[in-house]
Amino acid sequence: MMTDANCFRDTHESLYDFIEEYLVVCPQCSGCARVAPLDRDRQNYLDPRRVTCQSCSYSKDWYGSSMGIGSAHDGYFNLPLWLQIAVGDRTLWFHNLRHLQYIEAFVSATLRERRADNGTGWRNSTLINRLPDWIKSAKNRKHILKAIDRIKQK
C-alpha cells in the first residue's frame, strides 16, 4: 500500500475487499454495532451475516442471495455506517477501520502510484480508481484528512 509517508501504491483492492466487517449504527440503541460473517472461516460476500451490538445485545441474522454495496449503509441490513461524516455537501464513509486507513493513506499521499496488475493487467474496478473525484482531488486533501481525524475520534 505505502512505501513511505508521502507515497501510495494502489494494491488493486476493490470495495468488496473491505466487506469482511461493517461498523454500523445499532437500530436499537444507536451505538456502534458490527456486521460480520456468522462463520469467520468463510469469507464469501453472500455467506450469512450477523449484526451484533456490544452495548445493548441487539442481534439479527441475514441469510440472503443478494446484497448492495457502495453507499453509506451496510450491504446486508441496510443500516447506516458508523464511520461516516459530512464533508461540505458530500458524505465520506467507510465500512470499517481498515477501509478508513486505506483511504486515509491514499488521500494523505503526495505521490500516488497506479500500476498494472501482474495477473490481470490494468483494471478499472479498483477501489482507488472508483473513488469520486472530490476525494481524489489534492485541493480537498486538508478537509478530507480533518474529517477522517474527526471520525477516528468517534
Side-chain angles (χ1 to χ4, degrees):
M1 178 166 51
M2 286 193 306
T3 55
D4 65 52
N6 293 320
C7 180
F8 176 90
R9 181 173 294 142
D10 188 352
T11 56
H12 305 282
E13 295 189 76
S14 76
L15 192 54
Y16 284 96
D17 293 316
F18 294 92
I19 63 171
E20 74 277 0
E21 171 187 77
Y22 285 96
L23 298 178
V24 297
V25 176
C26 175
Q28 188 165 289
C29 74
S30 298
C32 181
R34 181 175 175 264
V35 175
L38 283 173
D39 182 352
R40 289 187 178 271
D41 295 331
R42 297 185 60 182
Q43 292 295 322
N44 183 300
Y45 68 93
L46 289 179
D47 286 337
R49 306 286 170 166
R50 175 173 288 153
V51 59
T52 55
C53 179
Q54 295 287 335
S55 297
C56 71
S57 301
Y58 175 83
S59 179
K60 184 176 180 181
D61 293 343
W62 176 89
Y63 300 91
S65 58
S66 66
M67 53 88 70
I69 192 168
S71 73
H73 292 78
D74 80 279
Y76 302 98
F77 300 95
N78 200 34
L79 297 171
L81 296 177
W82 181 256
L83 301 173
Q84 65 173 292
I85 192 166
V87 180
D89 62 346
R90 296 182 171 106
T91 302
L92 185 62
W93 52 265
F94 308 98
H95 292 168
N96 52 50
L97 291 174
R98 190 172 73 85
H99 184 203
L100 180 147
Q101 291 165 346
Y102 189 76
I103 299 302
E104 181 180 32
F106 171 78
V107 171
S108 64
T110 54
L111 174 62
R112 299 167 178 173
E113 295 181 348
R114 183 173 178 242
R115 296 184 179 166
D117 182 86
N118 291 336
T120 58
W122 291 102
R123 292 176 43 201
N124 187 30
S125 61
T126 69
L127 173 60
I128 298 304
N129 194 51
R130 297 290 180 143
L131 283 175
D133 289 339
W134 69 273
I135 295 176
K136 294 180 187 180
S137 174
K139 74 176 185 172
N140 294 328
R141 178 178 289 131
K142 187 187 327 178
H143 300 295
I144 293 170
L145 290 174
K146 280 183 183 178
I148 288 173
D149 283 341
R150 286 193 315 265
I151 207 169
K152 287 194 307 190
Q153 294 172 13
K154 192 175 184 182

